[in-house]
């Protein structure tokens, strides 16, 4: 691809387009200011980098200045000599050698314009990079790449173009904080009051939530219950199913609505059930209960995950994403361990939810003894804003959530071994929030468990 990209980039039409988005005079004015004005460099930090300069010679000079400052050396009359030594090779390419630096110093811009110079250079560089991204899309579309991977790469590159410029002063941060207090962001209840209380009201944009459990512990049932409540509340969200497919998830949801078991919707369905299911489907459509975007992606790669999450945000306008489940994300690069691969997945998700302003609920697998693997400890403990382990109780279908980590709320358990917070019940099946039902149900559950232990 590199050869085809270079050939396309060097065509006369593309070269003229790139040249229109370069301003050598502004680059020279900025570098001249850096070489002659001690305070100028500090105003460019966070606004421009050596890679932003269209002229590679100018980029090398800026890099040399940056290197000198990073070493704690003053920006003074000795700077010209240091930069000349560091950039001797590239300076010979433009002719004049060290005389070129003297010319830059003579072309220094006004101190008050340094920030404008830096911003202009950065903006032009972003435009050139956007053109390059489009060229890569053309090349990848023309070559024998999987279309999903090609789209993912292009979206990822384009997304990266808006990552810069994140520096803010303390005053700006405080102003944003106060504005957030005056107009707080929306919180999305999970449908389980006991979980919402522990999570500060529910799911918040910019946060990643993880529920881990052993195989067959009910992770998908719990995620399905949360999805059910969000759908009923009109909250548009995506469900990325790497294990259980959309059809199986919806069979449970419909069975819950019809008051039957999901197995009744499989195989030779009774005529009465079939009629009721059809009526329900029509009613759900009419009532606009269509707020779930399902993506069946067994064996889904990291690139596919990236593509679908970006599509959920920008194409489907989703408030959040459910990922079922973490260890099934494939696409481990050669020479990379499974732990490193999954840690990168977790790190990318944690960064992405903040950048996109969405929430992510990701499920994870525990070992058979109910403990986290090294992968889970390094991946989710460090990146999830809320991490809970789904635990069994001594009562069939009863569960509680052990709090393992929390960044924004006290780390508390939801229920306990002897006090189930959740109970897997029928129709459906689905989880009910027993902790929210009141003390009477809790006492009865304890009685049932005691009877089970003595029998």
């Amino acid at each position: 691809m590199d050869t085809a990209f270079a050939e396309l980039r060097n065509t006369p039409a593309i070269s003229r387009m790139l040249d229109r988005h370069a301003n050598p005079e502004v680059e020279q004015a900025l570098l001249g200011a850096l070489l002659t004005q001690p305070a100028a460099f500090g105003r460019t930090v966070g606004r421009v980098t050596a890679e932003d300069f269209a002229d590679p010679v100018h980029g090398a000079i800026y890099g040399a200045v940056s290197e000198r400052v990073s070493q704690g050396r003053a920006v003074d009359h000795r700077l010209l000599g240091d930069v000349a030594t560091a950039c001797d090779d590239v300076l010979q390419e433009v002719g004049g050698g060290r005389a070129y630096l003297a010319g830059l110093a003579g072309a220094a811009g006004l101190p008050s314009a340094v920030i404008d110079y830096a911003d202009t250079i950065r903006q032009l560089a972003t435009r050139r990079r956007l053109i390059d991204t489009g060229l890569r899309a053309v090349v990848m579309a023309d070559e024998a790449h999987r279309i999903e991977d090609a789209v993912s790469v292009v979206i990822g590159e384009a997304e990266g173009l808006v990552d810069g410029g994140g520096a803010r002063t303390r005053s700006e941060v405080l102003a944003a904080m106060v504005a957030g207090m005056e107009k707080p962001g929306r919180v999305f209840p999970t449908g389980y009051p006991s979980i919402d209380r522990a999570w500060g009201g529910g799911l918040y944009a910019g946060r990643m939530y993880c529920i881990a459990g052993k195989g067959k512990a009910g992770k998908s049932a719990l995620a399905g219950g949360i999805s059910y409540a969000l759908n009923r509340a009109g909250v548009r969200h995506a469900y990325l199913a790497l294990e259980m497919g959309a059809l199986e998830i919806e069979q449970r949801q419909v069975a819950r609505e019809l008051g039957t078991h999901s197995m009744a919707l499989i195989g030779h369905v009774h005529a009465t059930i079939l009629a009721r299911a059809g009526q329900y489907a029509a009613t759900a459509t009419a009532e606009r209960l269509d707020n779930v975007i399902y993506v069946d992606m067994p064996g889904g790669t990291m690139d596919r995950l990236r593509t679908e999450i970006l599509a959920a945000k920008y194409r489907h306008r989703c408030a959040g994403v459910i990922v079922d489940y973490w260890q099934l994300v494939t696409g481990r690069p050669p020479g990379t361990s499974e732990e490193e691969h999954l840690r990168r997945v977790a790190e990318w998700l944690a960064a992405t939810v903040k950048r996109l302003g969405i929430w992510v609920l990701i499920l994870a697998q525990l070992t058979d003894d109910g403990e986290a693997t090294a992968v889970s400890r390094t991946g989710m403990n460090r990146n999830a804003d809320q991490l809970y382990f789904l635990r069994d109780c001594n009562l069939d279908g009863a569960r509680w959530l052990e709090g393992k980590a929390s960044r924004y709320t006290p780390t508390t358990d939801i229920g306990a071994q002897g006090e189930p917070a959740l109970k897997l019940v029928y129709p459906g099946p689905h989880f009910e929030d027993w902790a929210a039902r009141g003390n009477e149900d809790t006492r009865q559950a304890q009685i049932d468990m005691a009877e089970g232990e003595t029998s």
Side-chain angles (χ1 to χ4, degrees):
M1 186 184 83
D2 292 341
T3 300
F5 171 77
E7 291 176 351
L8 183 59
R9 198 176 193 271
N10 290 328
T11 58
I14 298 300
S15 295
R16 288 194 297 271
M17 184 184 301
L18 291 168
D19 288 343
R20 286 200 299 271
H21 298 294
N23 193 323
E25 292 78 13
V26 169
E27 293 184 0
Q28 291 170 342
L30 176 62
L31 292 175
L34 298 184
L35 294 170
T36 58
Q37 301 163 20
F41 181 79
R43 299 174 186 172
T44 70
V45 175
R47 294 182 177 275
V48 70
T49 67
E51 292 75 22
D52 292 330
F53 289 82
D55 189 325
V57 174
H58 294 164
I61 295 171
Y62 184 87
V65 174
S66 178
E67 178 67 18
R68 191 184 199 282
V69 174
S70 69
Q71 294 172 353
R73 304 169 70 184
V75 178
D76 53 24
H77 65 280
R78 292 169 293 182
L79 177 63
L80 278 172
D82 291 342
V83 173
T85 301
C87 302
D88 186 61
D89 291 342
V90 295
L91 287 174
Q92 296 302 326
E93 296 177 7
V94 298
R98 300 192 178 202
Y100 187 75
L101 288 179
L104 289 177
L110 297 172
S112 59
V114 166
I115 291 177
D116 289 337
Y117 293 151
D119 288 346
T120 297
I121 293 169
R122 182 60 177 266
Q123 290 167 8
L124 291 172
T126 301
R127 290 181 180 275
R128 295 194 302 275
R129 289 170 184 144
L130 183 57
I131 292 171
D132 283 344
T133 299
L135 296 179
R136 289 192 182 91
V138 171
V139 172
M140 295 187 76
D142 187 51
E143 295 183 351
H145 291 276
R146 289 180 67 249
I147 190 63
E148 293 86 356
D149 293 341
V151 170
S152 176
V153 169
V154 172
I155 291 176
E157 288 192 9
E159 182 190 21
L161 297 181
V162 297
D163 283 347
R168 292 185 294 172
T169 66
R170 182 170 185 264
S171 296
E172 291 170 334
V173 172
L174 290 173
M177 182 185 72
V178 173
M181 292 177 181
E182 294 175 343
K183 296 181 179 179
R186 185 180 175 189
V187 58
F188 305 95
T190 64
Y192 296 96
S194 58
I195 294 178
D196 292 337
R197 282 195 297 272
W199 290 1
L203 300 161
Y204 286 84
R207 297 183 185 177
M208 182 167 76
Y209 303 82
C210 179
I211 296 176
K214 296 190 296 184
K216 311 302 180 184
K219 301 184 297 296
S220 295
L222 182 56
I226 293 173
S227 177
Y228 176 91
L230 293 170
N231 180 53
R232 300 289 300 186
V235 179
R236 198 167 184 81
H237 62 285
Y239 197 116
L240 309 187
L242 285 85
E243 184 182 40
M244 183 183 296
L247 184 61
E248 189 174 353
I249 297 168
E250 270 304 316
Q251 283 171 341
R252 290 185 176 186
Q253 311 289 43
V254 173
R256 177 178 178 177
E257 289 286 347
L258 300 184
T260 186
H261 192 292
S262 60
M263 294 300 294
L265 305 179
I266 302 174
H268 296 288
V269 179
H270 192 278
T272 302
I273 297 293
L274 183 60
R276 292 178 59 203
Q279 178 63 36
Y280 169 73
T283 302
T285 301
E287 294 180 356
R288 300 183 182 277
L289 296 178
D290 194 21
N291 302 302
V292 189
I293 304 298
Y294 285 112
V295 182
D296 286 338
M297 46 183 293
T301 64
M302 175 60 187
D303 282 342
R304 176 80 187 279
L305 180 70
R306 180 185 293 110
T307 298
E308 296 299 348
I309 289 179
L310 292 173
K313 165 67 177 181
Y314 293 116
R315 179 182 177 187
H316 302 295
R317 306 298 180 186
C318 292
V321 178
I322 297 173
V323 181
D324 184 7
Y325 64 88
W326 177 43
Q327 285 94 340
L328 292 179
V329 178
T330 64
R332 174 161 57 98
T336 303
S337 68
E338 186 71 8
E339 178 178 350
E340 184 179 358
H341 164 62
L342 290 175
R343 185 176 69 247
R344 288 178 179 178
V345 174
E347 290 170 350
W348 182 84
L349 283 171
T352 297
V353 296
K354 292 176 176 57
R355 183 167 60 250
L356 299 184
I358 61 174
W359 52 260
V360 165
L361 170 61
I362 186 167
L363 308 183
Q365 187 90 350
L366 298 179
T367 56
D368 290 340
D369 61 2
E371 296 303 317
T373 63
V375 171
S376 298
R377 288 193 293 273
T378 59
M380 283 303 163
N381 278 4
R382 296 177 184 176
N383 293 288
D385 295 300
Q386 299 276 359
L387 175 60
Y388 279 81
F389 286 3
L390 187 62
R391 300 296 198 188
D392 294 335
C393 290
N394 296 325
L395 181 67
D396 185 38
R399 304 285 188 271
W400 64 287
L401 288 163
E402 180 184 4
K404 304 298 289 187
S406 176
R407 284 199 176 96
Y408 301 101
T409 61
T411 303
T412 58
D413 296 338
I414 303 174
Q417 181 67 35
E419 298 180 3
L422 304 168
K423 182 69 167 64
L424 194 62
V425 299
Y426 293 90
H430 68 280
F431 275 112
E432 281 189 353
D433 191 333
W434 273 31
R437 291 176 57 177
N439 294 332
E440 186 61 36
D441 286 328
T442 300
R443 283 196 295 271
Q444 185 60 49
Q446 293 171 331
I447 294 172
D448 292 340
M449 284 187 285
E451 292 176 349
E453 291 173 352
T454 56
S455 60

